[in-house]
Amino acid sequence: MSRWLQLGRRAALAAGALGAGSGAALYLSTPAFATELTLHSSHLPWSHNGWFSSLDAASVRRGYFVFKQVCAACHSMKFIAYRHLVGVCLTEEEAKAEAAEIQVQDGPDETGQMFERPGKLSDFFPNPYPNVEAAKAANGGAAPPDLSFIVAARHGGADYLFHLLTGYMDPPAGRLVGEGLYYNPYFPGGAIAMAQALYNEIIEYEDGTPATQSQLAKDVATFLTFTSEMEHDDRKRIALKVLPWTLVLVACSWFAKRHVFTYLKSRKIAYKNRPPRKFYT
Amino acid sequence: IYFFNRNLPLLSLLDLGTPVNISYFWNFGSLLGLFCGVQIFSGVLLSMHYQNSIEMAFFSVNLSIQNEVFLGWFFHNVHSSGASFFFVFLYCHLFRGLYYGGFNQINIWMSGVTILLFSMALAFLGYVLPWGQMSFWGATVITNLFSAIPYVGEDVVHVLWGGYGVAGPTLNRFFSLHFLVPFLMVMVAFFHVFIFLHVKGSSNPLGGPINQFLKIEFFPYFVVKDFFGIYLIFFVFFYFCLLNPRLLLDSENFIEANSLVTPVHIQPEWYFLSSYAILRSIPNKFGGVVALAFSVLFFYFFPFFFQNLYNNSFFNNNNVKFYFWFWLSSAIVLCYVGASPVEYPWVSIGIVFTFFYFSGFFFLLF
């Protein structure tokens, strides 16, 4: 390597180190403001975290019942229909029974009137409020967000949801939380308009699982992961088939490339009867 | 223009003389061509189910395509991950050209930078289509930049919007343009490769003189090498599509667009972050827009200021290489700045590194 190249590389490294160092020094010297201090959720060992791990169907089922009995009172889920649950956490008959529990406005009939009918599989989950203004008025000015894609729509996903639901606590000394708001360190800004919703034993699971607060939060977070990402299991199943196959292709093509290039890579250039080089000094 | 014998495009894939010493950095061209095809194919499939009205756009993307169309989620992930991969390849291809002096071939360089501009416009248009929060607000921010044009700015923006704000007509026309521009881009790419490049063939890492005699036919050597690169990239690509599709996406875009609620951090996709940081670093609105435009358009000026005798930068004084890495590292730092909130210390870092970004260019002029 020529000396100039060496110097050039060293200069580039030095410039890079200088840039990175000055950036780090500037960053570390910032003061931190209290309103920015949102507690980041830790990474939880969800059973569906692995590359080839599916969602826990029993947990999704329990989570649906938690959602229905606790969350659906205030939160809509307008992108999820009862038919989406069939084959995932409910049988078709169970899903039809769940749908039949709600009343849906349909119509008009032959006389031109709108009417109410029990829900069918094709109906979407009901919205507890007729419009956004009613939702805001009933909840202290903050409309409860739609939960269909909530795991995708929040940084931290299911980890954030679990920590948010179980993270309600008294504010630290000196931290004032406005009226109608509750302190939650995981919520950006720290003050959330939703009261703590999950307590131990607020509902009873049909399969007998102890309904502790963390179990409720885990199940509802898994259910919401499912609704945000209904292709989850399909996606990983296809990955299980595709990725090893691409590795095989990479290995074969690597061998083929090296095989084809053997002639070129094993060439040697040699001089024969070359006139002597003159060194000008 | 001197054409090789039998310049028919497909035949050139077989026997065009190619320098023997081209490295893996020369694979990015074929990867770009492949991913252009992948994007067009997946995009056409998506457009069969996409509805471009503001009431139905979010629904059609996140429910209809993602959950109900067979393999809709797959092509949705392919299209969004493919855009990120396309930009990775674009930047690597561009850096290869900068480092090895490809800008000496003016036709190829100009058409290539045009393709870059088309791609950036295309990515911006495409990001608006799902009509999430970040789509809407990103469109608002970027289209508002056109109001910085003196005298006619406001009117230009209203024509662009089709109204007095980003709304239904805007989404409609963005979809039309997003469907049209790829075909314009393919035409320019055709010229870039099959008309301009195949006049003299590929350059090589060492530069001009070796080009003339150490050449081998394209098939089978570089066909096999390209396939290896393609399969390797497929592995990484399918990892992103199938195992980690949300890694490069902004979670804010899974919330329906709401013109009354502004997201806390408006930021574009990663490939626009350095330009975004430059835009935000200039305190003046018009100056910021000019700096943003110049940060990409200055590539057009390279051939006229850096004419090398040997079609490479190997024989240059080492200032060129130093400034290449200097510029590249400042671009990378600016990417990080672009993703950060506009607070201390990111403001100062942004200003300093914007200066570094442009300084290399200006120093190299003299």
Side-chain angles (χ1 to χ4, degrees):
Chain A
M1 194 191 307
S2 81
R3 199 162 165 271
W4 280 115
L5 280 178
Q6 268 184 327
L7 279 181
R9 278 185 200 201
R10 284 180 193 173
L13 266 172
L18 186 69
S22 53
L26 271 172
Y27 178 66
L28 287 170
S29 67
T30 35
F33 297 99
T35 48
E36 289 173 341
L37 291 173
T38 309
L39 189 52
H40 284 268
S41 1
S42 57
H43 293 289
L44 295 167
W46 299 98
S47 60
H48 53 81
N49 265 352
W51 279 15
F52 306 123
S53 310
S54 62
L55 286 168
D56 180 355
S59 186
V60 174
R61 183 187 172 90
R62 289 193 297 268
Y64 164 69
F65 287 109
V66 174
F67 171 79
K68 188 181 93 169
Q69 292 170 38
V70 179
C71 319
C74 301
H75 286 279
S76 61
M77 211 185 236
K78 56 185 179 182
F79 293 104
I80 311 300
Y82 288 96
R83 58 183 164 83
H84 290 132
L85 303 175
V86 175
V88 180
C89 59
L90 298 176
T91 64
E92 194 177 324
E93 295 77 32
E94 285 171 345
K96 281 184 182 165
E98 290 292 317
E101 286 180 21
I102 62 161
Q103 290 289 320
V104 172
Q105 194 192 55
D106 203 355
D109 59 18
E110 297 98 29
T111 62
Q113 303 279 18
M114 306 298 279
F115 58 91
E116 297 256 312
R117 58 157 176 80
K120 297 186 283 196
L121 282 180
S122 56
D123 291 320
F124 290 91
F125 281 19
N127 196 331
Y129 301 105
N131 49 53
V132 174
E133 285 75 16
K136 280 187 185 174
N139 290 285
D146 184 272
L147 293 184
S148 311
F149 303 115
I150 198 75
V151 166
R154 297 289 184 268
H155 287 289
D159 297 326
Y160 166 76
L161 269 191
F162 179 88
H163 286 291
L164 185 78
L165 292 169
T166 54
Y168 284 86
M169 57 183 70
D170 292 327
R175 173 84 163 89
L176 296 173
V177 170
E179 202 182 305
L181 299 173
Y182 305 87
Y183 181 71
N184 192 316
Y186 294 98
F187 187 71
I192 187 171
M194 175 174 85
Q196 181 173 353
L198 298 180
Y199 294 90
N200 289 332
E201 313 288 338
I202 47 163
I203 69 165
E204 206 177 286
Y205 281 132
E206 55 171 17
D207 61 355
T209 313
T212 58
Q213 187 199 42
S214 58
Q215 179 72 41
L216 292 165
K218 171 190 179 257
D219 291 331
V220 80
T222 310
F223 173 68
L224 293 173
T225 308
F226 163 68
T227 61
S228 297
E229 230 188 328
M230 288 201 230
E231 78 273 8
H232 182 272
D233 289 353
D234 278 334
R235 175 165 69 77
K236 291 193 175 175
R237 203 178 64 245
I238 291 181
L240 179 60
K241 297 175 192 176
V242 166
L243 288 178
W245 176 235
T246 47
L247 277 181
V248 168
L249 284 176
V250 166
C252 289
S253 60
W254 172 236
F255 182 83
K257 184 260 175 196
R258 294 285 283 181
H259 174 73
V260 163
F261 272 78
T262 43
Y263 168 69
L264 294 172
K265 295 274 187 182
S266 54
R267 289 194 300 192
K268 181 180 169 178
I269 298 173
Y271 288 99
K272 228 172 125 173
N273 299 330
R274 199 181 76 185
R277 281 175 69 184
K278 285 190 188 170
F279 294 96
Y280 296 96
T281 49
Chain B
I1 299 175
Y2 167 68
F3 274 52
F4 274 114
N5 297 334
R6 302 192 295 149
N7 191 39
L8 304 168
L10 282 179
L11 275 173
S12 67
L13 283 175
L14 299 178
D15 63 7
L16 181 69
T18 317
V20 68
N21 59 334
I22 57 175
S23 65
Y24 279 100
F25 281 106
W26 267 253
N27 272 27
F28 289 112
S30 62
L31 283 171
L32 279 168
L34 173 76
F35 269 74
C36 193
V38 164
Q39 286 295 92
I40 291 181
F41 179 68
S42 58
V44 167
L45 285 178
L46 285 174
S47 71
M48 293 182 182
H49 299 279
Y50 175 71
Q51 302 189 48
N52 61 344
S53 69
I54 52 176
E55 295 88 15
M56 294 304 289
F58 189 82
F59 178 87
S60 69
V61 170
N62 286 316
L63 185 74
S64 174
I65 289 176
Q66 196 77 3
N67 294 328
E68 314 207 321
V69 173
F70 177 63
L71 287 185
W73 59 267
F74 176 68
F75 286 108
H76 186 210
N77 289 344
V78 163
H79 201 69
S80 61
S81 307
S84 284
F85 272 70
F86 194 78
F87 270 91
V88 170
F89 301 148
L90 266 177
Y91 286 146
C92 289
H93 192 67
L94 171 70
F95 299 155
R96 185 281 310 260
L98 281 175
Y99 190 78
Y100 292 112
F103 43 79
N104 290 294
Q105 294 152 71
I106 296 184
N107 281 336
I108 302 178
W109 185 257
M110 293 299 189
S111 53
V113 180
T114 310
I115 295 173
L116 175 70
L117 284 174
F118 271 146
S119 310
M120 293 177 120
L122 200 58
F124 165 67
L125 293 171
Y127 196 63
V128 179
L129 299 182
W131 209 240
Q133 274 285 69
M134 209 47 85
S135 305
F136 177 85
W137 288 99
T140 308
V141 167
I142 300 300
T143 48
N144 264 312
L145 295 179
F146 287 91
S147 65
I149 302 171
Y151 303 115
V152 296
E154 284 294 325
D155 297 322
V156 165
V157 173
H158 289 158
V159 168
L160 202 63
W161 280 336
Y164 294 104
V166 175
T170 319
L171 182 61
N172 250 319
R173 61 191 56 186
F174 278 10
F175 179 58
S176 299
L177 290 174
H178 188 72
F179 203 93
L180 168 72
V181 170
F183 300 111
L184 299 177
M185 206 172 88
V186 165
M187 284 198 290
V188 180
F190 180 82
F191 272 78
H192 180 74
V193 178
F194 292 112
I195 310 293
F196 297 142
L197 179 65
H198 288 178
V199 173
K200 283 206 207 157
S202 296
S203 169
N204 70 83
L206 287 181
I210 304 207
N211 229 353
Q212 309 308 320
F213 48 89
L214 273 179
K215 287 195 179 184
I216 50 176
E217 60 273 12
F218 193 80
F219 181 87
Y221 300 105
F222 296 109
V223 170
V224 169
K225 194 171 178 184
D226 280 343
F227 268 110
F228 168 68
I230 288 170
Y231 290 141
L232 193 61
I233 291 299
F234 269 174
F235 179 73
V236 185
F237 181 59
F238 283 131
Y239 166 77
F240 273 89
C241 285
L242 297 172
L243 288 181
N244 210 346
R246 304 278 164 81
L247 183 68
L248 295 169
L249 296 180
D250 201 322
S251 55
E252 199 75 38
N253 221 25
F254 286 93
I255 306 171
E256 282 182 275
N258 188 342
S259 55
L260 300 173
V261 174
T262 311
V264 179
H265 300 298
I266 300 179
Q267 64 183 66
E269 285 284 276
W270 67 267
Y271 32 84
F272 290 141
L273 284 176
S274 59
S275 312
Y276 192 61
I278 292 172
L279 170 73
R280 293 196 302 194
S281 297
I282 315 288
N284 180 300
K285 179 176 180 181
F286 182 63
V289 175
V290 166
L292 171 73
F294 192 61
S295 73
V296 182
L297 291 177
F298 78 158
F299 292 120
Y300 274 124
F301 299 112
F302 265 76
F304 306 110
F305 293 118
F306 303 115
Q307 302 240 346
N308 295 323
L309 182 64
Y310 279 120
N311 203 16
N312 64 355
S313 60
F314 186 80
F315 296 104
N316 285 345
N317 53 11
N318 262 76
N319 289 340
V320 176
K321 285 199 175 162
F322 175 79
Y323 279 111
F324 170 78
W325 291 111
F326 190 68
W327 169 83
L328 182 61
S329 47
S330 56
I332 292 172
V333 171
L334 282 173
C335 279
Y336 198 76
V337 172
S340 308
V342 186
E343 284 161 7
Y344 178 86
W346 303 114
V347 179
S348 334
I349 296 180
I351 294 174
V352 166
F353 279 89
T354 304
F355 175 71
F356 286 163
Y357 185 96
F358 288 114
S359 66
F361 178 71
F362 288 116
F363 278 127
L364 281 174
L365 290 179
F366 307 112

